Amino acid sequence: MFIHPTALKQMNRMPHGLRVKCDKAIAHFERDRSHPGLQFKQLKSSPHYSIRIDQDYRGILQRTKGETFLLIAVSARQSVYDNLPEDVATDVNRVTGEFEVIPLDDVEKVAAAEPRADAAIAGTQVPPPLFDGFTDKELVDLGVAPVLMPSVREIRTETGLFRLVDVIPQHSANVLIELATGTSIDDVYEKITAPRVTTDVDVTDIDSAVERTIGTAVRSDDPAVKAMLEGDFEAWRLFLHPSQRALVESDHRGPVKVSGGPGTGKTVVALHRAARLARAAEPDDRILLTSYSANLAADLEDKLRGILPRELAGRVEVANVDKITRRIAFAGLRPAPQIADTQQQRDHWQTVLDAAGETEFDVPFCIDEWQHVVSAQMINAQHEYESAPRIGRIRRMSRAQRARYWQLLTAFKKRLQDEGQWTFEQVQLRAALSEEMRRMMEPARYQHVIVDEAQDLTAAHWRLLRALVEPGANDLFAVGDPHQRIFAQPVTLSSLGINVKGRSRRLEISYRSTRQILATATSVMAGSTVDDLDGGIDDLTRYRAIVSGTDPRFVATDSTDTELDAIVAQIKEWDHVDRTAIAVCAPYTHQAKRLAAQLSAAGIPTERLGKTPPTEPDAIHVATMARLKGLEYRCIVICGVNADQFPRGFATELADADPTAYQAAMQRERALLFVAATRARDALTFVWHGEPTEFLRSRLREGQRYRASRKGHPSSATGSRMDSPGDVCHGEP
């Protein structure tokens, strides 16, 4: 049995008990469809079939060619009887040729809830219909189902649109969302419709339409579908949605780059890609699955065990990229060099500058030049540095100045050598160059390399990965989101020998966060420009969530003590949620340490995330924002986001000293808050004391305008000030 996307949405919204009954009925059907408890039968005067879910519900099936069935809906028994329920419409999309299922009752309820001009209160302005500027023919030609037209014409608000796209076929939803956000008809056709056009569609040929639809449906024996039906949050995170499956199963002649917004399933795609290659590999083949941090790599390894048998998992090495880098860079070195931390590097630079009597260059500039010009471009000689571009750097450097800086850098490296220390930049450069030299004489170490969180890798990392795998079919597969870059500097893959031209793909549907959470997180990035890892610009305009939920909560307090009280109160409100699916995060490590201790003292089982995976089976997780990168939770509290703490001090200190570096640092701070917010699936709360961070103010102002516009309405907010202690605002306008 396959499950149509419409039925999958229905079941995902059901109470847990009813979902379990659906799972049992499907299992019975697959074992023995003649089982008397199923009451399997064909409906009268209809090609559809029904099975019994329980006393009150029936599953509606469409038979395909042969013995395969497609579950298209789960309906109340009284609406089924011997005929297809009146509230379910089926049709063949005349553009895509797919078999579509439309829950008419749900669609009509959405339309009926929209404000109507003839029912407006005197003096109240009713917004015009969103799609007044388009004719029915234009919408239908783009692939919107004709049966939806009356309801589409009633949609006047963003909320109504979100509710409508929750229940209609995905292609129609994609078209309407793009038009509503201002995309022209021609651009919508090129981006959304043209790739899905099927020639010579016969709307009476149901069998062919169902066969096409199987490609967008899911199999009922998919372990992740069973997990969803049983309410297993962890296993649901591994679910491979139909829109992602093609990326996993396709073959390519060279490197592939997959970009996607938060929650679009990039990590899931990377995991299933590794599993798919492992299944097809020869016993001696080696596959590398890597990511930026040790925490993410550990999480990847744990998840891989959930989708790949142990005997095949051995073909996949899972390791963070710096572990591989150190292993290659330190090979043959005894003892291994120590890594100089930030303060040690500052001290070394200061000693070098003092010894040289240097007054023009200071420590922050020297470090920034080393990291963002010399190391970022893998410069290894003075003549390379003297001609290297320094685009975006505020200080112009003459040839003489560059020569003097190179002398200082040489002295800095000499101090490190004398102390038996290296910087991370030196480790990365040595590893990349060593592997490139090894490849001149020996075969590559891996047949395939899959990279998660690709946006946080440096140029040296990419040079190393390019050398680790033999160029050819399915060699490099990288997934990432440039908007979530919080560590590395931007890179251009083509300049590093990784050509993804014609092999760049995008994931645009968020399966994790609700629309309300995604909208709030996206507002944090407003006004920023982000590269796409290959010389272009990436944006968030096409990313959208398919699930609606509650608005994020904003809680203003007047002190660290009342901030803690608000956090405790929020966690207690979530007492129905498994504790390991709840996280609390803050900007700084010392804040996370203090929070973990305070929450434990308040009687809340707590585990602070470190470099190793969590082990406590019944504790909420406390971490820095950065530590949550790549993870996922049902509910998250982000605290400490007051103006004097976030953006963090080291970023704001650059405002006068180096405006260019300041802008880059502020971009990373925005990305950090964006990352933390998008880890939440169901609920998100921001807590601060004093003034909130500037990154939230635009969203808070929207909330204030919303409350003001509804003043006096029976369901309006109280109108309390956002900056008053303890105030709570739901921020979706």
Side-chain angles (χ1 to χ4, degrees), residues 337-593:
Q338 298 297 308
I339 302 298
D341 62 27
T342 301
Q343 188 57 52
Q344 289 172 323
Q345 292 185 52
R346 286 176 177 270
D347 292 342
H348 290 326
W349 272 114
Q350 190 63 62
T351 300
V352 167
L353 295 177
D354 291 344
E358 178 62 48
T359 58
E360 183 179 4
F361 302 144
D362 59 14
V363 170
F365 170 79
C366 289
I367 292 177
D368 194 64
E369 189 78 359
W370 162 240
Q371 293 179 342
H372 299 153
V373 178
V374 178
S375 296
Q377 298 182 50
M378 297 184 67
I379 296 170
N380 207 32
Q382 182 174 338
H383 70 274
E384 295 174 353
Y385 175 60
E386 289 177 350
S387 60
R390 300 178 67 257
I391 297 171
R393 315 315 298 169
I394 187 172
R395 184 197 294 264
R396 292 180 179 273
M397 296 276 281
S398 67
R399 190 177 187 88
Q401 286 173 317
R402 294 198 190 202
R404 192 165 80 254
Y405 175 79
W406 193 261
Q407 291 175 348
L408 295 171
L409 179 59
T410 302
F412 169 71
K413 292 179 179 179
K414 178 66 166 56
R415 278 199 60 80
L416 288 169
Q417 183 178 352
D418 292 344
E419 296 293 328
Q421 294 177 330
W422 287 13
T423 67
F424 277 120
E425 290 79 15
Q426 288 176 305
V427 176
Q428 293 169 10
L429 180 60
R430 178 184 170 93
L433 296 177
S434 296
E435 192 63 20
E436 287 174 346
M437 292 183 66
R438 192 193 74 85
R439 279 295 316 283
M440 294 178 183
M441 298 173 285
E442 300 179 40
R445 298 178 193 262
Y446 301 97
Q447 279 67 48
H448 310 286
V449 171
I450 300 102
V451 184
D452 191 23
E453 301 291 349
Q455 73 280 348
D456 282 320
L457 272 59
T458 66
H461 284 146
W462 286 112
R463 286 268 295 269
L464 171 62
L465 293 175
R466 175 66 283 178
L468 284 173
V469 63
E470 189 73 36
N474 300 326
D475 53 354
L476 264 168
F477 187 92
V479 303
D481 178 9
H483 288 85
Q484 297 184 54
R485 181 186 295 113
I486 62 176
F487 296 118
Q489 293 295 305
V491 299
T492 302
L493 293 178
S494 58
S495 69
L496 301 170
I498 301 172
N499 181 16
V500 295
K501 186 177 181 179
R503 292 186 296 274
S504 291
R505 304 290 185 266
R506 293 173 69 95
L507 290 167
E508 299 178 350
I509 301 174
S510 174
Y511 295 98
R512 180 201 301 141
S513 300
T514 64
R515 276 189 285 270
Q516 291 81 354
I517 290 173
L518 191 61
T520 296
T522 301
S523 72
V524 170
M525 301 297 291
S528 59
T529 301
V530 180
D531 73 284
D532 68 351
L533 297 179
D534 207 39
I537 300 299
D538 195 58
D539 63 69
L540 292 166
T541 56
R542 287 183 282 178
Y543 297 129
R544 54 198 178 274
I546 63 171
V547 178
S548 186
T550 58
D551 298 328
R553 179 178 287 181
F554 300 89
V555 184
T557 70
D558 59 4
S559 68
T560 54
D561 289 339
T562 52
E563 188 173 347
L564 176 65
D565 293 340
I567 296 168
V568 171
Q570 179 62 90
I571 292 172
K572 289 182 177 178
E573 277 191 37
W574 292 334
D575 61 358
H576 61 288
V577 178
D578 180 70
R579 287 196 183 102
T580 59
I582 299 173
V584 179
C585 68
Y588 294 95
T589 300
H590 70 83
Q591 291 173 310
K593 289 181 179 178

Side-chain angles (χ1 to χ4, degrees), residues 109-116 154-157 159-161 163:
K109 284 178 181 176
V110 171
E114 286 291 89
R116 300 177 62 90
E154 296 296 329
I155 301 302
R156 298 170 182 268
T157 66
T159 299
L161 175 62
R163 289 173 177 164

Side-chain angles (χ1 to χ4, degrees), residues 244-256:
Q244 303 157 350
R245 192 175 297 277
L247 292 173
V248 170
E249 296 179 351
S250 58
D251 288 308
H252 302 275
R253 295 183 179 180
V256 175

Side-chain angles (χ1 to χ4, degrees), residues 41-66:
K41 63 179 181 180
Q42 185 172 2
L43 303 179
K44 292 181 178 178
S45 304
S46 170
H48 302 96
Y49 294 74
S50 74
I51 58 172
R52 183 182 187 275
I53 304 297
D54 68 5
Q55 183 175 343
D56 299 317
Y57 285 87
R58 297 292 185 269
I60 309 300
L61 309 176
Q62 171 74 42
R63 189 170 194 160
T64 71
K65 296 175 181 177

